[in-house]
Amino acid sequence: CWEPGDAVGCFDKQYEHKGRCCNRCQPGEKLVSECNDTGETVCARCESGHYQQSWTKERHCAPHDICEDNAGLIVKTQGNATHNTVCQCRAGMHCSDTSCQTCVENQPCQRGFGFVAAKAMAQMSSPCEPCAEGTFSNVSSKTEPCHPWTSCEAKGLVVKVEGTNTSDVICESSRRSSLSVLIPITAAVVTCLVGICIYCLVHT
């Protein structure tokens, strides 16, 4: 943490003042008075709404950023004496540029596309992405992501209708699935037997 003019003999958490090595103020504090022949450096806690995140000899703490409601911003992480406030856009909005001082409304993601929240914090265009294989979105929304298909197997069921990027899988019980196969086969067998019986009756 050396600064131009600091004495070479001072430690990194000190600074040179009138030929002496004075202690820097710790994070969360600001300088009140320099060290001298009669005492050490005097520091004070940063006032409310201000912070200092490094060892310093500054007499003022920096003010926290303000998350302006009319800019579409809300507080993500509240600032304290050592860290600045972190803002983010409200749901349904994304940063207007990389500095993210203001937010703009998302364009709705159409069916088959999902909203990606992580991209909304950094991109200037509405972050819609096509739903990947195994996921779907059946609504037009500014906030809804793609949702995974239902796992029929996890529910002890079998797939009746495969999912798409706009629709979920439709499940049914394995018993019903078996019946749906057996019934046509049984019907075919019965039809054949009836046909044979009729043939025999006609030719006897």
Side-chain angles (χ1 to χ4, degrees):
C1 298
W2 292 106
E3 296 184 9
D6 282 356
V8 175
C10 295
F11 293 110
D12 61 351
K13 292 179 181 177
Q14 296 179 323
Y15 67 98
E16 187 273 333
H17 176 67
K18 295 183 179 180
R20 299 176 61 87
C21 287
C22 294
N23 293 328
R24 294 175 183 269
C25 296
Q26 66 182 3
E29 296 183 347
K30 62 182 179 180
L31 178 68
V32 174
S33 62
E34 320 275 3
C35 69
N36 53 42
D37 293 337
T38 60
E40 297 293 335
T41 302
V42 177
C43 303
R45 191 74 172 167
C46 290
E47 59 269 36
S48 177
H50 292 70
Y51 75 104
Q52 177 56 255
Q53 62 183 18
S54 59
W55 290 81
T56 186
K57 60 179 182 179
E58 296 297 325
R59 292 181 177 272
H60 301 283
C61 297
H64 290 156
D65 286 344
I66 297 175
C67 304
E68 296 284 358
D69 182 67
N70 59 6
L73 293 166
I74 59 173
V75 174
K76 179 181 181 182
T77 305
Q78 184 63 56
N80 54 32
T82 58
H83 291 85
N84 194 9
T85 296
V86 178
C87 304
Q88 69 178 24
C89 294
R90 288 199 302 264
M93 305 184 78
H94 64 277
C95 299
S96 59
D97 56 35
T98 53
S99 68
C100 205
Q101 297 297 308
T102 58
C103 304
V104 293
E105 290 280 346
N106 294 337
Q107 294 300 311
C109 297
Q110 302 303 314
R111 284 163 43 91
F113 290 78
F115 175 78
V116 183
K119 292 180 65 178
M121 298 302 112
Q123 290 196 348
M124 288 181 281
S125 59
S126 190
C128 301
E129 284 190 349
C131 292
E133 179 69 19
T135 65
F136 76 102
S137 173
N138 58 2
V139 295
S140 175
S141 171
K142 296 180 181 180
T143 58
E144 282 293 311
C146 295
H147 297 284
W149 290 341
T150 297
S151 173
C152 297
E153 183 179 350
K155 295 183 175 183
L157 304 173
V158 295
V159 175
K160 179 181 180 182
V161 179
E162 294 286 349
T164 68
N165 65 342
T166 59
S167 62
D168 195 7
V169 169
I170 297 177
C171 306
E172 66 177 357
S173 69
S174 55
R175 184 177 179 182
R176 286 191 62 185
S177 179
S178 299
L179 287 174
S180 66
V181 174
L182 289 173
I183 289 173
I185 294 175
T186 303
V189 171
V190 170
T191 301
C192 289
L193 290 174
V194 170
I196 292 170
C197 290
I198 292 172
Y199 178 84
C200 292
L201 288 171
V202 169
H203 292 82
T204 55

